[in-house]
Amino acid sequence: MVRGRGHGRGAWWQDRFHDIGARVTAPREVVIDILHETNDHVSAADVYVKAHEINPSIGLTTVYRTLDMLTQMGIVQKFDVGDGKARYELVNNPDGKKHHHHLICLGCKAIIDYSEFLDDELEYIGKTQNRLSKKYNFTITDHAISFYGFCERCRSG
Amino acid sequence: MVRGRGHGRGAWWQDRFHDIGARVTAPREVVIDILHETNDHVSAADVYVKAHEINPSIGLTTVYRTLDMLTQMGIVQKFDVGDGKARYELVNNPDGKKHHHHLICLGCKAIIDYSEFLDDELEYIGKTQNRLSKKYNFTITDHAISFYGFCERCRSG
DNA sequence: CAATAAATGAAAATGGTTTTCATTATTAAA
DNA sequence: TTTAATAATGAAAACCATTTTCATTTATTG
């Protein structure tokens, strides 16, 4: 069965949209395509610039609305580095990038992705998630681990 | 040796200030006192309201500046729930509250603190932190673990 | 094809955070 | 102490990411 990275009728995320009664529209396709093609942690403005190149009629408002919707659906993770603008990235998913976490420099706000040591993580997170969801009667859909500190540059600066 | 919760001359954080050549001023004392007395995740505005009750001459700008400074020093952790305002809380410290992490509801943005299962965490985080700081030549000063999902209310809603 | 409802974009409004700058308070020096 | 140098403060203005409003367009349903 061919599914791959294509976005034809039936791409995985379109099913998710249909499930909740949301329409699959051109602007939404563009935004999701951009997220797929990016390995960065993009801001809404970043997405807007790229979307605008592809289709100048797409407005910033729609980008925000789409990113919010995707976040609500758990398709995108929104997070904050501390520089005043939210960042977005695709959550682990059939087509998406590998599960990873962040190393954030408090000096220059640089973000390093790491995806090593996932075995240990899986064990720890799985166990903890189970215990927490029981204890607090909470449906857990995602998690984030961030380490803060200083990169070499900012340490010596 | 009595240290307790007092903030007389020599309180732990004042030493930190002196170390970096920052002055110990009345507004800064007020802000730090407020953080000590709060178990919540306060916004800058929250701190401002309380500070203003204690000393009406304290301005919002100074609250922001003090919180930023404390964040830079690693005394306070700044984080974002996704509702547009930054939250602040004291990091684990001699006087501070217990090490904990967050369970964040994507529906109502409620934040549940949990501090259970710290033994497992200590093991996992300690190991991972070591490996990461070596591999990425990064000085790690702090970490955050957040679980996202839906509380009972928002799940059934 | 018509009717209904959802989605969109432009512009304006919002609101948290930062900057500016003149004043005040703190520290170090004499 | 008093004074000089410098850091910190507060009010107001500026900033800027995000949200709201609303008239228009587009997608679905019958």
Side-chain angles (χ1 to χ4, degrees):
Chain A
M1 173 173 65
V2 178
R3 272 253 186 150
R5 312 195 45 209
H7 304 292
R9 175 171 300 282
W12 67 272
W13 62 268
Q14 303 195 351
D15 298 338
R16 298 281 316 273
F17 270 56
H18 287 130
D19 289 347
I20 62 166
R23 296 176 181 173
V24 173
T25 65
R28 288 173 176 174
E29 288 196 87
V30 169
V31 168
I32 294 175
D33 281 0
I34 289 169
L35 292 174
H36 270 103
E37 284 158 13
T38 308
N39 277 319
D40 267 344
H41 317 83
V42 288
S43 65
D46 293 336
V47 175
Y48 171 69
V49 168
K50 295 186 188 203
H52 209 253
E53 281 169 13
I54 296 168
N55 180 346
S57 83
I58 295 176
L60 179 56
T61 310
T62 297
V63 170
Y64 272 106
R65 282 192 282 231
T66 303
L67 290 172
D68 280 355
M69 161 176 276
L70 292 171
T71 302
Q72 288 298 321
M73 295 172 74
I75 291 173
V76 157
Q77 187 171 101
K78 177 181 181 181
F79 66 99
D80 189 80
V81 176
D83 67 348
K85 36 193 153 185
R87 308 296 171 122
Y88 302 83
E89 67 181 5
L90 281 180
V91 170
N92 197 32
N93 66 54
D95 291 344
K97 67 186 283 196
K98 215 195 305 189
H99 183 67
H100 66 277
H101 292 296
H102 300 139
L103 216 49
I104 299 171
C105 178
L106 296 172
C108 62
K109 314 290 184 191
I111 309 169
I112 299 173
D113 287 355
Y114 74 88
S115 45
E116 298 89 354
F117 322 131
L118 293 184
D119 299 337
D120 286 330
E121 183 202 318
L122 187 62
E123 188 192 330
Y124 164 67
I125 289 290
K127 197 200 271 182
T128 306
Q129 180 167 325
N130 263 327
R131 290 154 146 184
L132 288 174
S133 69
K134 263 188 205 107
K135 171 149 191 180
Y136 293 101
N137 194 14
F138 204 93
T139 304
I140 295 175
T141 59
D142 198 12
H143 67 269
I145 302 177
S146 301
F147 287 94
Y148 299 90
F150 296 92
C151 68
E152 188 176 10
R153 254 261 290 316
C154 293
R155 194 189 318 147
S156 26
Chain B
M1 172 172 65
V2 179
R3 271 259 184 140
R5 315 191 46 206
H7 303 295
R9 176 170 298 285
W12 69 272
W13 62 267
Q14 303 195 350
D15 298 338
R16 299 281 316 273
F17 271 55
H18 286 131
D19 288 347
I20 62 167
R23 296 176 180 173
V24 174
T25 64
R28 288 174 177 173
E29 287 195 88
V30 170
V31 168
I32 294 175
D33 281 0
I34 288 169
L35 291 174
H36 269 104
E37 285 158 13
T38 308
N39 277 319
D40 266 345
H41 317 83
V42 288
S43 66
D46 293 335
V47 174
Y48 171 68
V49 168
K50 295 186 188 203
H52 209 255
E53 281 168 14
I54 296 169
N55 180 347
S57 83
I58 295 175
L60 179 57
T61 310
T62 298
V63 170
Y64 271 106
R65 283 192 281 231
T66 303
L67 290 172
D68 280 355
M69 164 176 274
L70 293 170
T71 302
Q72 288 298 322
M73 294 171 75
I75 291 174
V76 157
Q77 189 171 100
K78 176 182 180 181
F79 66 99
D80 189 80
V81 177
D83 66 349
K85 37 193 152 186
R87 308 296 171 123
Y88 302 84
E89 67 181 6
L90 281 180
V91 170
N92 196 31
N93 67 54
D95 291 344
K97 67 187 281 197
K98 217 196 299 189
H99 183 68
H100 67 276
H101 292 297
H102 299 138
L103 215 49
I104 299 170
C105 178
L106 296 173
C108 62
K109 315 291 184 190
I111 310 169
I112 299 173
D113 287 355
Y114 74 87
S115 45
E116 297 90 355
F117 323 130
L118 294 184
D119 299 337
D120 285 332
E121 182 202 318
L122 187 63
E123 188 192 332
Y124 165 66
I125 289 290
K127 197 200 270 184
T128 306
Q129 179 167 325
N130 263 327
R131 290 154 145 184
L132 288 174
S133 69
K134 264 189 203 109
K135 172 150 189 179
Y136 293 101
N137 194 14
F138 204 94
T139 304
I140 295 176
T141 58
D142 198 10
H143 67 270
I145 302 177
S146 301
F147 287 94
Y148 299 91
F150 296 92
C151 66
E152 189 177 10
R153 259 269 279 318
C154 293
R155 195 189 318 147
S156 27

